[in-house]
């Protein structure tokens, strides 16, 4: 059928670029996994596994495993917790284009991960399909196979091809998918760009032939595992031929690299081609190209050195049982190991399928269980608890039936719907452990207890115990404040344990007042400002939540008294002495006033002022202003008048003015220098003085009378109310000056 075409791996970039790209990828991938990881998980060593098969690591060290007997794909994260990624544990087929956790699988046995596209491929073996899970969305789809066993579809879309018990899958460096079409005795390739499927090894005849020739012309017998080395060569476990064979990436020719075709165990420390294997499967390669295989019926994991071709045992001593927890891997006992994989740090991990465990060889060469409880003794562990318990109550008792005292913890797993969580752990005391059920939320729960065993006791798993948790009652109280402002407070208290959540509806008879959430202490408070005067019947209704039942408080009767009328802030200004006073010019008049505050106190002093004063008169207040707070205050106004403040006084020309006039007349009389003329001048001056007032005129009627003058004085008082409004009041007094 021509030369095998296996894509040669792309040449790697320079090392600095590779390191940088790896760091960026690791960061992005970790963020994606953190965001998409399931919310619930439990320690992987506390749950039983049923026939774990294929295993594969992602670049961060998370392990994915196909739990064939439970029809699930699971993940063990780097903290050792396990979650289900696909499968409902019900054998069947369903769920394409929906959440993988809601899909049905049937005995999945192969896995391959493309970390670049975040796609996990799985061989859904008994459904005759290859399916893919998008790890970002959790959606599962079929990428190859119609579900009908058979062989068809080469050179056509893989989705329309028929497969026959696909058991293993692998990806090349370009992301193309290879599958071991086991019962068709072929290896097939799906081009992920086009979706086209082709055969690249096996002629469809069950048997052995074709070494050193084209892989497509060779006969295979139930191939069950695939792995690529760093050079792009494809290794396959030709299981029922008891051989490991390799397809050259350049020539497409096939050759045997381990096993002579005779089932058995031999050849350690010798050339792998001269060794005997027994139903080999579970292939994996390390970064140097060394090949690891699960020599399944020999109960061993073996390694083929790519440089020397020598084969050695790295785990298992050949006895089909379980032994060697935390002991050297080469003296441990395995039971039908099915798969191998290497962690990012290079630790060899294996599916110890018959022992229902995933085990790993540590750097010190000891073998430890990292997932799975192991084989358990039916009936050795039992559970007892009330069939129905209110939320926050109840205890569970686990009892281990053993003739001697066992040590170690009991772990209880809780399954509600499709979610399994760890209820808790408790140590065995006299072969009994007790756990509280107080944290179980209302609903139906299925509880299973597991015991990992100790040096003298084997692991145990209890039968499932079903129980129902009902919502708990609460105590609801309603109280009111004894001081203003009025407040209503409701407190909701659990009658079992926990703090209720939810909302409180406050009611005035049937009229809603408010609807507010409880605070973290289970309390809600309102200030009802809309209650009118009269009698009110108040209640508070608790809505209830997932854990607690609704409740209504006892009625609270509250009487609201009518509100007294409110007097606005104001004050009066009243003179308390005579409002009209007569004083002589140059003296002072004093008036007294009283202010009376009404309503709430003023927020500012009362500022005083006076207007309408006589010219040059002054006014002073004592005190200068009235401070806020006093209800009644008295102050005085003193007006000091000037001395020339008399009104209507008449003045006469002074002697100086008369003399000045005479002096001005002298030039007119200059020519008159004779004695006779001088006498005439004196007579003229005297006449002018008498006429114009030289000196004071003599009032023949006595002293002149001054007319009194009246002045209305306005006194103003200004202040500010508590609301910021301005107030001003005035009073008028009269000042008469004589």
């Amino acid at each position: 059928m021509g030369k095998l075409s296996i894509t040669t791996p792309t040449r790697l970039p320079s090392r600095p670029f590779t390191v940088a790209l790896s760091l960026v990828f690791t960061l992005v991938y970790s963020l994606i996994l953190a965001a998409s990881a399931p919310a619930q998980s439990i320690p992987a060593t506390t749950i039983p596994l049923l026939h774990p098969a294929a295993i594969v690591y992602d670049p961060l060290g998370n392990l994915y495993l196909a739990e064939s007997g439970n029809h699930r794909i699971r993940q063990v994260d780097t903290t050792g917790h396990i979650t289900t990624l696909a499968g409902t544990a019900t054998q069947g087929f369903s769920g394409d284009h929906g959440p993988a956790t809601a899909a049905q699988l049937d005995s999945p046995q192969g896995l391959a991960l493309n970390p670049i596209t975040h796609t996990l491929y799985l061989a859904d073996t008994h459904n005759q399909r290859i399916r893919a899970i998008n790890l970002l969305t959790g959606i599962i789809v079929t990428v190859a196979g119609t579900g009908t066993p058979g062989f068809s579809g080469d050179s056509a879309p893989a989705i329309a091809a028929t497969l026959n018990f696909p058991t293993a899958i692998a990806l090349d460096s370009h992301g193309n998918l290879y599958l071991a079409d086991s019962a068709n005795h072929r290896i097939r390739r799906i081009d992920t760009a086009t979706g086209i499927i082709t055969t690249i090894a096996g002629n469809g005849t069950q048997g052995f032939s074709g070494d050193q020739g084209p892989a497509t012309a060779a006969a295979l017998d139930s191939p069950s595992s695939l792995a690529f080395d760093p050079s792009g060569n494809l290794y396959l476990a030709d299981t029922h031929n008891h051989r490991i064979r390799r397809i050259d990436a350049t020539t497409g020719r096939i050759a045997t690299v381990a096993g002579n075709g005779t089932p058995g165990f031999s050849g350690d420390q010798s050339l792998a081609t001269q060794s005997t294997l027994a139903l080999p499967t579970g292939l994996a390669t390390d970064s140097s190209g060394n090949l690891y295989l699960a020599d399944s019926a020999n109960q061993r994991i073996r390694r083929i050195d790519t440089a020397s071709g020598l084969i050695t045992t790295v785990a298992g001593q050949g006895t089909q049982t379980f032994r060697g927890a935390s002991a050297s891997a080469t003296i441990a006992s395995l039971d039908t190991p099915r798969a191998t994989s290497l962690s990012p740090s290079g630790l060899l991990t294996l599916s110890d399928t018959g022992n229902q465990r995933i085990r790993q060889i540590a750097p010190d060469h000891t073998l430890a269980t990292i997932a799975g409880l192991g084989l358990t003794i039916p009936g050795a562990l039992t559970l007892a608890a009330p069939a129905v318990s209110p939320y926050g109550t109840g205890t569970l008792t686990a009892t281990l039936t053993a003739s001697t005292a066992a040590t170690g913890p009991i772990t209880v797993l809780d399954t509600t719907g499709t979610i399994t969580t760890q209820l808790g752990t408790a140590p065995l005391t006299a072969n009994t452990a007790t756990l509280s059920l107080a944290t179980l939320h209302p609903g139906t729960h299925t509880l299973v207890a597991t015991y990992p065993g100790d040096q003298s006791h084997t692991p145990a798993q209890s039968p499932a115990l079903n129980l129902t948790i009902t919502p708990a009652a609460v105590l609801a109280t309603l109280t009111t404040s004894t001081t203003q402002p009025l407040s209503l407070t409701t407190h909701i208290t659990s009658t079992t344990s926990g703090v209720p959540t939810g909302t409180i509806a406050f009611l005035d008879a049937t009229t809603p007042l408010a609807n507010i959430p409880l605070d973290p202490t289970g309390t809600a408070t309102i200030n009802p400002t809309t209650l009118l005067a009269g009698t009110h019947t108040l209640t508070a209704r608790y809505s209830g939540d997932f854990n607690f039942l609704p409740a209504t408080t006892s009625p609270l009767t509250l009487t609201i008294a009518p509100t007294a009328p409110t007097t606005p802030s104001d004050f009066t200004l009243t003179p308390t002495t005579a409002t009209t006073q007569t004083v002589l010019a140059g003296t002072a008049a004093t008036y007294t006033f009283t202010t009376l505050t009404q309503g709430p106190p003023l927020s500012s002093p009362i500022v005083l002022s006076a207007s309408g004063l006589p010219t040059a008169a002054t006014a002073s207040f004592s005190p200068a202003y009235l401070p806020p707070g006093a209800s009644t205050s008295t102050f005085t106004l003193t007006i000091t008048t000037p001395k020339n403040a008399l009104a209507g006084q008449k003045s006469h020309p002074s002697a100086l003015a008369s003399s000045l006039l005479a002096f001005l007349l002298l030039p007119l009389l200059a020519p008159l220098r004779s004695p006779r003329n001088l006498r005439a001048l004196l007579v003229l001056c005297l006449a002018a003085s008498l006429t114009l007032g030289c000196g004071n005129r003599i009032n023949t009627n006595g002293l002149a009378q001054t007319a009194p003058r009246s002045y209305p004085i306005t006194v103003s008082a200004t202040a500010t109310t508590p609301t910021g409004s301005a107030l001003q009041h005035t009073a008028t007094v009269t000042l008469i000056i004589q």
Side-chain angles (χ1 to χ4, degrees), residues 334-388:
L334 311 179
D335 187 348
T336 320
R338 290 278 301 276
T340 62
S341 184
L342 283 99
S343 73
S345 60
L347 299 180
L348 180 64
T349 307
L350 61 108
S351 293
D352 194 358
T353 303
N355 280 323
Q356 319 300 338
R357 299 170 185 259
I358 305 297
R359 302 172 82 177
Q360 187 176 80
I361 301 177
D364 63 358
H365 305 293
T366 58
L367 189 61
T369 297
I370 62 171
L373 186 66
L375 295 171
T376 60
I377 299 177
L381 186 62
T382 57
L383 291 177
V388 178

Side-chain angles (χ1 to χ4, degrees), residues 284-299:
T285 60
D286 62 22
S287 58
S288 299
N290 300 305
L291 182 67
Y292 297 82
L293 63 104
D295 196 357
S296 182
N298 280 325
Q299 321 303 331

Side-chain angles (χ1 to χ4, degrees), residues 111-184:
L111 291 176
L113 175 69
N114 186 334
I116 303 300
T117 61
H118 316 294
T119 303
L120 181 67
Y121 295 95
L122 64 104
D124 196 358
T125 303
H126 286 205
N127 277 324
Q128 318 299 338
R129 288 175 165 93
I130 305 298
R131 303 173 83 177
I133 304 170
N134 185 321
L135 295 178
L136 301 183
T137 64
I139 300 300
I140 190 171
V141 295
T142 294
V143 295
T146 63
T148 301
F151 174 75
S152 69
D154 263 5
S155 302
I159 195 71
T162 54
L163 311 177
N164 202 350
F165 292 98
T167 57
I169 49 182
L171 293 165
D172 67 16
S173 60
H174 292 280
N176 298 305
L177 186 66
Y178 295 73
L179 63 103
D181 197 359
S182 184
N184 279 327

Side-chain angles (χ1 to χ4, degrees), residues 593 608-611 619-625 635-638 714-716:
F593 300 84
L608 306 171
S609 63
S611 61
S620 63
F621 292 95
S622 181
Y625 63 88
F635 67 91
T636 60
L637 166 63
T638 300
T714 300
V715 178
S716 298

Side-chain angles (χ1 to χ4, degrees), residues 342-507:
L342 283 99
S343 73
S345 60
L347 299 180
L348 180 64
T349 307
L350 61 108
S351 293
D352 194 358
T353 303
N355 280 323
Q356 319 300 338
R357 299 170 185 259
I358 305 297
R359 302 172 82 177
Q360 187 176 80
I361 301 177
D364 63 358
H365 305 293
T366 58
L367 189 61
T369 297
I370 62 171
L373 186 66
L375 295 171
T376 60
I377 299 177
L381 186 62
T382 57
L383 291 177
V388 178
S389 296
Y391 170 75
T393 66
T395 56
L396 174 76
T397 301
T399 302
L400 181 68
T401 301
S403 58
T404 58
T407 59
I410 295 292
T411 299
V412 177
L413 306 177
D414 166 33
T415 300
T416 303
T418 61
I419 303 297
T420 298
T421 59
Q422 180 177 308
L423 175 62
T425 61
L428 281 171
T429 303
N431 289 345
T432 299
T434 302
L435 287 90
S436 172
L437 300 176
T439 59
L440 290 181
H441 295 294
T444 300
H445 298 261
T446 300
L447 304 182
V448 173
T450 63
Y451 170 61
D454 60 17
Q455 295 295 330
S456 304
H457 301 83
T458 58
Q461 177 183 344
S462 73
L465 175 69
N466 295 319
L467 55 84
T468 300
I469 302 297
T470 60
V474 297
L475 176 64
T477 58
L478 177 63
T479 58
T480 183
S481 62
T482 58
T483 60
Q484 293 297 328
L486 177 66
S487 66
L488 298 175
T489 300
T490 295
H491 187 69
I492 306 298
T493 306
S494 168
T495 57
T496 56
S497 64
V499 177
T501 61
T503 57
I504 296 293
F506 289 91
L507 302 173

